[in-house]
Amino acid sequence: MKIVSVRAVPYAIPFSRPLHFASGFIDLADNVLVQVTTDDGVVGVAEAPPRPYTYGETQVSIVGVIEKLFAPAVEGLTLLDREEVRARLGRTVGNPTAKAAIDMAMWDAWGKTVGQPVHELLGGYADRLRVSHMLGFEAPEIVADQAIELRETLGITSYKIKVGRQPIDLDVAVCRAVRTAVGDDAEIYIDGNRGWTAPQAAEAVRQLEGVGLSRVEELCRADDVMGRRWLVSQCPVPFVADESAPTPADVTRELMAGAATGVSIKTARTGFSDSLRVAHLAEGLGVETVIGNQIDGQVGTACSLAFGASQAWTARNSAELSNYLDMSDDLLADPLTIIDGAMHVLPGPGLGIEIDPDKLSKYRTDV
Ligand SMILES: [Mg+2]
């Protein structure tokens, strides 16, 4: 179980349906595949998605920090040295998705080594997660049609709608159109990606009262400190911290400050080891969680699935697992599937996924 190499492989796969939201847009999955190889010949994998508008990382910076700092710090340790690895990577600030991918690739390699699914090693609670799909900026009728199509083709009945445009009327109209289209039984919630001011967000929440939102997320900036607390204090549903709370310490800070009443857990930024910390923190405090989507490819989605289904606290809400559907292709030999609005955990050892070598050769950008 000794780690002999940590490699970072950049690749690029276009999106067939680009996603627009208040803090940016994405039309290319320019991710980094991280491979952790042991002296037994086992290769664990995970992917790091660059989100410069959220974490400051780029594909080049992820490859660079892994090659120059993280790989030398990790090589020579074993797969069971996860806390030592965390401590060594923690000497460098930032770089959350690079750190998370190394952590998850180590868990994948550990699972493959002992012949057990990572989902089971983490807790193994549920055999599936209900899927929630993230809907980007479009006109109301287009977003409503997308929601209907997802329900009819995949059975999806939970939707996160991206909001935060100016003025607020367009996003309010989108939410109303989706509710009318999908009916009262479907779950709808919104994510502002800090696009509104606190007063604008408060007005939008008031106008959306009849729509029946299950939660709201990052409607204004957490740095608008008192405005954010004022907004959260009057919000009738859980107010989820996402990009404002990327570490367990940030989660504690935001919750204790009254700046959030829910937490988005993204394995893409907290891996499995710190996602466990966030989930247990939230459970101990009785705070709602949602498994968030970092606009993950299928490798990242398999990580979200393994983690989200492993804990009772995270498995009880629908999880954002389906935005790989907007990509034109992916790296997996066997694509993920959504049946009756749910994704079942993968039974194989480790993450239960296999990288297709031909697809990796086709899409990698370093050769
Ligand atoms: Mg979000």
Side-chain angles (χ1 to χ4, degrees):
M1 285 204 258
K2 185 176 172 184
I3 297 167
V4 295
S5 78
V6 178
R7 295 225 160 81
V9 181
Y11 68 92
I13 300 177
F15 272 67
S16 47
R17 192 204 304 261
L19 186 72
H20 294 256
F21 41 99
S23 56
F25 88 102
I26 184 164
D27 59 3
L28 180 73
D30 54 346
N31 297 350
V32 178
L33 184 74
V34 173
Q35 300 168 315
V36 170
T37 304
T38 72
D39 58 353
D40 303 311
V42 171
V43 182
V45 298
E47 70 179 357
R51 297 291 170 259
Y53 35 79
T54 310
Y55 309 119
E57 293 173 289
T58 66
Q59 188 181 48
V60 169
S61 80
I62 290 169
V63 171
V65 79
I66 290 175
E67 288 182 347
K68 287 192 166 39
L69 294 177
F70 293 166
V74 170
E75 287 162 4
L77 297 175
T78 84
L79 297 176
L80 300 180
D81 291 325
R82 290 190 305 276
E83 288 294 287
E84 177 63 24
V85 168
R86 181 176 184 267
R88 291 187 183 186
L89 302 192
R91 293 173 194 157
T92 303
V93 300
N95 298 281
T97 72
K99 293 172 181 173
I102 291 173
D103 176 73
M104 294 190 289
M106 286 176 62
W107 279 84
D108 182 39
W110 180 31
K112 286 172 175 165
T113 301
V114 299
Q116 294 294 326
V118 165
H119 164 259
E120 298 288 347
L121 297 175
L122 286 164
Y125 178 74
D127 68 353
R128 76 197 72 178
L129 290 174
R130 284 179 295 120
V131 173
S132 179
H133 190 82
M134 198 156 64
L135 298 161
F137 286 175
E138 289 287 358
E141 61 275 13
I142 293 175
V143 183
D145 285 347
Q146 289 173 359
I148 293 281
E149 183 187 347
L150 288 159
R151 186 181 68 188
E152 290 180 348
T153 56
L154 299 170
I156 291 174
T157 56
S158 176
Y159 310 94
K160 170 154 106 176
I161 300 173
K162 290 290 197 183
V163 297
R165 286 179 283 189
Q166 309 284 349
I168 64 174
D169 309 47
L170 179 56
D171 291 334
V172 169
V174 168
C175 294
R176 287 179 176 151
V178 172
R179 174 57 80 199
T180 300
V182 299
D184 290 341
D185 293 341
E187 177 183 40
I188 298 177
Y189 56 108
I190 57 175
D191 181 2
N193 291 113
R194 302 157 281 144
W196 287 330
T197 64
Q200 286 172 332
E203 176 60 24
V205 168
R206 264 195 299 278
Q207 290 191 25
L208 289 167
E209 252 169 26
V211 171
L213 302 178
S214 63
R215 64 179 79 90
V216 302
E217 181 174 317
E218 297 284 6
L219 297 185
C220 72
R221 296 179 348 133
D223 284 354
D224 298 344
V225 179
M226 295 307 293
R228 172 77 166 238
R229 290 185 201 178
W230 169 82
L231 173 63
V232 172
S233 71
Q234 64 185 281
C235 197
V237 291
F239 191 108
V240 174
D242 177 12
E243 57 265 44
S244 65
T247 70
D250 291 323
V251 170
T252 306
R253 196 174 295 122
E254 293 303 298
L255 291 174
M256 297 297 285
T261 48
V263 181
S264 175
I265 298 178
K266 290 181 173 172
T267 54
R269 68 175 171 227
T270 38
F272 295 136
S273 300
D274 271 9
S275 291
L276 281 171
R277 287 173 163 88
V278 175
H280 295 167
L281 174 62
E283 181 175 359
L285 293 169
V287 168
E288 282 291 300
T289 57
V290 58
I291 296 296
N293 193 313
Q294 200 64 72
I295 322 175
D296 304 294
Q298 294 194 32
V299 177
T301 302
C303 292
S304 298
L305 172 66
F307 180 81
S310 75
Q311 308 293 302
W313 195 257
T314 54
R316 62 187 194 167
N317 289 330
S318 55
E320 297 164 11
L321 299 173
S322 52
N323 280 83
Y324 69 84
L325 296 169
D326 295 336
M327 289 171 59
S328 60
D329 199 359
D330 218 297
L331 296 182
L332 297 192
D334 300 306
L336 301 176
T337 55
I338 298 168
I339 299 170
D340 293 334
M343 192 178 281
H344 287 249
V345 298
L346 305 173
L351 293 169
I353 58 172
E354 192 184 328
I355 302 297
D356 182 328
D358 293 333
K359 289 194 172 185
L360 184 57
S361 296
K362 178 179 178 182
Y363 293 115
R364 67 188 301 169
T365 55
D366 60 341
V367 288

